[in-house]
Structure formats: C-alpha cells, structure tokens
C-alpha cells in the first residue's frame, strides 16, 4: 500500500514539473489581475499607485506591495516625484514615504536594477546617501534621502508597467 502511495506521489510530482511553463503564464495573468484589483490611484503622470498608510520598514513594505501584485514606487524623474509627492501630501503631511530604490553593491538601484545616480536632481540637497534604503520627503516635492532599512515609513506601491 505504501509503495503505491509513493508511486502515485512520484507521478504527480513528475506531471507538475512538465506543466510549469503553463502555470507561470497563468501566474503572470493572475499577478496582473491581482494588481489591477488593488486600490489604485491614477495620477497625472499616467501611472497607478496605492498609498498605504501604515508604517513599515523597507523589507516589509516591499513584501506588502508584492502581495498586491505591485512594486514599491519608482520615481524616475522630477515630474514623477512631484506628482507622487503632491498626492502623498493630500493623504498625510507628516510622514515620509518609501520608494523602491535600495543600495546594492554600493550603488542605489531601482526595483528593476536601473541605477539611481548619486548626482541626480531627485536627491534632497543635504541627503546623506550613506544608508541602504531610500524614502522621500513629501513636503519637499518628493526629494529623496537615504535611511537605515529598519526605520518605518508610509508605503507607496506602483502598478508594474507590464500590467497596463
């Protein structure tokens, strides 16, 4: 009896391994469906965001966004930063907000691996740039600063471009 159970289990494992490519395509559609069903705000830059008013550290915030099929917000230019900061100010004036940039191998990188240059105009004038995670001042038009990753800030998640 036990031999039959293990044989059946082996067949199920073998069968599931042959269907993985189909499952991953299904997962991608499901991922975007989950993302689109999140509470999203479309801003004037054409991008969709979710503003989460709970204090989270960077790792927890990253996981929260991923569970919703989103990623931490990416502010590629001054326009994105200003638009997102203006919306954040409508929601809450005091706290700062986490974004997707994080130090990796000595450089700050966005979630997709693109480098956030240290001389970028996105940085706040006196930004330390010595800590590992990045947040922005919503009252300073979205200017970036770095802070230790264990500090807790509000969270902004963004809809991935592949889900539009």
């Amino acid at each position: 009896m036990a031999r039959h159970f293990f044989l059946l289990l082996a067949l199920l494992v073998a069968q599931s391994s042959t269907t993985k490519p189909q499952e991953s395509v299904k997962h991608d559609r499901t991922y975007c469906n989950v993302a689109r069903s999140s509470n999203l705000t479309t801003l004037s830059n054409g991008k969709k965001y979710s503003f989460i008013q709970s204090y989270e550290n960077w790792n927890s915030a990253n996981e929260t966004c991923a569970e919703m099929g989103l990623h931490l917000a990416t502010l590629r230019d001054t326009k994105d930063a200003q638009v997102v900061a203006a919306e954040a100010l409508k929601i809450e004036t005091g706290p700062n907000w986490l974004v997707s940039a994080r130090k990796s191998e000595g450089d700050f990188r966005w979630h997709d691996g693109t480098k956030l240059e240290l001389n970028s105009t996105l940085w706040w004038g006196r930004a330390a740039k010595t800590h590992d995670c990045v947040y922005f001042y919503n009252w300073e038009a979205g200017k970036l600063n770095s802070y230790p990753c264990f500090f807790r800030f509000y969270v902004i998640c963004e809809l991935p471009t592949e889900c539009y």
Side-chain angles (χ1 to χ4, degrees), residues 37-53:
S37 69
S38 299
N39 183 20
L40 301 174
T41 302
T42 303
L43 299 182
S44 63
N45 62 358
K47 298 177 183 176
K48 297 180 182 207
Y49 301 91
S50 179
F51 293 82
I52 301 170
Q53 291 178 275

Side-chain angles (χ1 to χ4, degrees), residues 29-41:
R29 281 190 220 127
T30 303
Y31 176 84
C32 287
N33 288 339
V34 168
R36 285 188 211 103
S37 69
S38 299
N39 183 20
L40 301 174
T41 302

Side-chain angles (χ1 to χ4, degrees), residues 5 20 35 58 90 100 102 113 119 132 136 148 161:
F5 173 76
K20 278 196 187 265
W58 195 93
K90 291 179 194 174
S100 71
R102 185 171 183 171
N119 63 353
D132 289 341
F136 78 89
T161 54

Side-chain angles (χ1 to χ4, degrees), residues 75 122 128 135 145:
L75 307 176
L122 290 169
Y135 69 94
N145 201 358

Side-chain angles (χ1 to χ4, degrees), residues 32-162:
C32 287
N33 288 339
V34 168
R36 285 188 211 103
S37 69
S38 299
N39 183 20
L40 301 174
T41 302
T42 303
L43 299 182
S44 63
N45 62 358
K47 298 177 183 176
K48 297 180 182 207
Y49 301 91
S50 179
F51 293 82
I52 301 170
Q53 291 178 275
S54 66
Y55 291 109
E56 297 187 35
N57 65 41
W58 195 93
N59 290 325
S60 175
N62 196 39
E63 289 173 17
T64 295
C65 291
E67 287 170 4
M68 298 183 336
L70 309 171
H71 60 74
L72 280 166
T74 301
L75 307 176
R76 296 278 186 202
D77 54 38
T78 303
K79 180 185 176 191
D80 277 353
Q82 290 172 344
V83 166
V84 171
E87 186 66 24
L89 269 173
K90 291 179 194 174
I91 297 168
E92 181 63 58
T93 59
N96 303 302
W97 300 79
L98 285 169
V99 294
S100 71
R102 185 171 183 171
K103 198 179 275 187
S104 173
E105 298 178 24
D107 293 326
F108 287 97
R109 303 277 174 170
W110 294 109
H111 78 282
D112 63 0
T114 305
K115 188 174 181 179
L116 169 58
E117 298 291 342
L118 292 177
N119 63 353
S120 170
T121 58
L122 290 169
W123 290 101
W124 181 56
R126 296 181 296 221
K129 303 175 201 163
T130 56
H131 301 289
D132 289 341
C133 290
V134 178
Y135 69 94
F136 78 89
Y137 293 117
N138 50 339
W139 63 87
E140 288 286 340
K143 292 295 184 179
L144 304 178
N145 201 358
S146 70
Y147 230 68
C149 297
F150 63 84
F151 276 73
R152 296 174 182 267
F153 297 106
Y154 280 178
V155 179
I156 303 173
C157 302
E158 182 178 342
L159 181 68
T161 54
E162 63 268 16

